[in-house]
Amino acid sequence: LVGSEMCIRDRIYAHCEQVHNLPPAFHYWSNRHLLPLLREHGFDSPDALFLKILSEQCASGLPVRFLSIGAGNGDLELQLARQLSKSGYENFVIHCLDLNPQMLERGRAAAETAGFAKRLHFIQADFNQWTASHEYDAVMANQALHHVVNLEGLFGEIQRSLRASGAFVISDMVGRNG
């Protein structure tokens, strides 16, 4: 998104607290095609896949840094932080990247309230022009990549920022209209 399109998106999502209320078409395709594939590999949802990958990285015992592209209000990231902590992992930080400052502020407030302000860091940036300032042990994108215009540029930056043992985990659906 560029210029006035960014302002429109900011206004649309400024007061949107339920950013993952997806349309019926998503649930139809997801339940019919994606969920059976996930179940073949022992997962009941994309969130479980995210948790597995992040847990595997935390298991090293070394400090790990994760990036979530299109984190929005930070709902998934806070849920993952809770689950990682419940599993005994305290060696992680999740950078929550999003364009919308209002959404990031809601995420920051929720993390503070839940006691995870030190684990969740909120970064405002446009994915189309983002440059990594850190190396990451895992990068995740949950229902965000369909908003990206410069997908090749973003993927190049992700590849550059991922450690050799890192993982890039995606859950997204792009329809015929792009």
Side-chain angles (χ1 to χ4, degrees):
L1 299 175
V2 293
S4 64
E5 291 177 31
M6 282 196 299
C7 294
I8 291 168
R9 182 177 183 266
D10 281 352
R11 282 187 302 231
I12 290 170
Y13 290 103
H15 303 289
C16 180
E17 294 185 25
Q18 301 300 321
V19 296
H20 292 294
N21 285 343
L22 299 168
F26 167 83
H27 298 290
Y28 169 80
W29 285 100
S30 181
N31 290 331
R32 183 176 174 114
H33 300 287
L34 178 62
L35 197 52
L37 293 173
L38 286 170
R39 286 188 175 141
E40 282 180 27
H41 297 283
F43 302 105
D44 60 358
S45 70
D47 295 2
L49 177 61
F50 290 133
L51 180 61
K52 179 182 186 296
I53 299 300
L54 272 56
S55 295
E56 287 174 352
Q57 294 291 336
C58 285
S60 72
L62 300 171
V64 291
R65 183 180 294 125
F66 306 127
L67 172 68
S68 179
I69 296 171
N73 295 327
D75 302 324
L76 173 62
E77 296 73 14
L78 183 54
Q79 173 190 327
L80 290 169
R82 283 183 175 127
Q83 291 172 308
L84 290 169
S85 288
K86 187 177 177 181
S87 296
Y89 299 121
E90 298 296 331
N91 59 327
F92 68 92
V93 171
I94 303 174
H95 289 183
C96 302
L97 180 70
D98 202 274
L99 176 66
N100 190 291
Q102 292 90 356
M103 295 169 83
L104 291 169
E105 187 51 42
R106 284 192 293 271
R108 189 176 288 110
E112 180 73 35
T113 299
F116 285 95
K118 291 182 181 179
R119 299 267 173 248
L120 300 177
H121 299 182
F122 296 85
I123 303 165
Q124 183 182 357
D126 180 349
F127 325 143
N128 293 291
Q129 301 168 2
W130 169 74
T131 301
S133 55
H134 299 282
E135 282 190 325
Y136 293 99
D137 298 282
V139 175
M140 58 185 235
N142 183 38
Q143 302 303 318
L145 296 180
H146 60 271
H147 294 290
V148 178
V149 175
N150 181 16
L151 201 55
E152 292 82 3
L154 176 61
F155 281 12
E157 192 60 22
I158 290 168
Q159 182 179 23
R160 188 185 71 72
S161 69
L162 266 178
R163 294 186 183 191
S165 61
F168 182 26
V169 190
I170 302 166
S171 174
D172 210 330
M173 192 172 298
V174 180
R176 289 186 303 227
N177 63 358

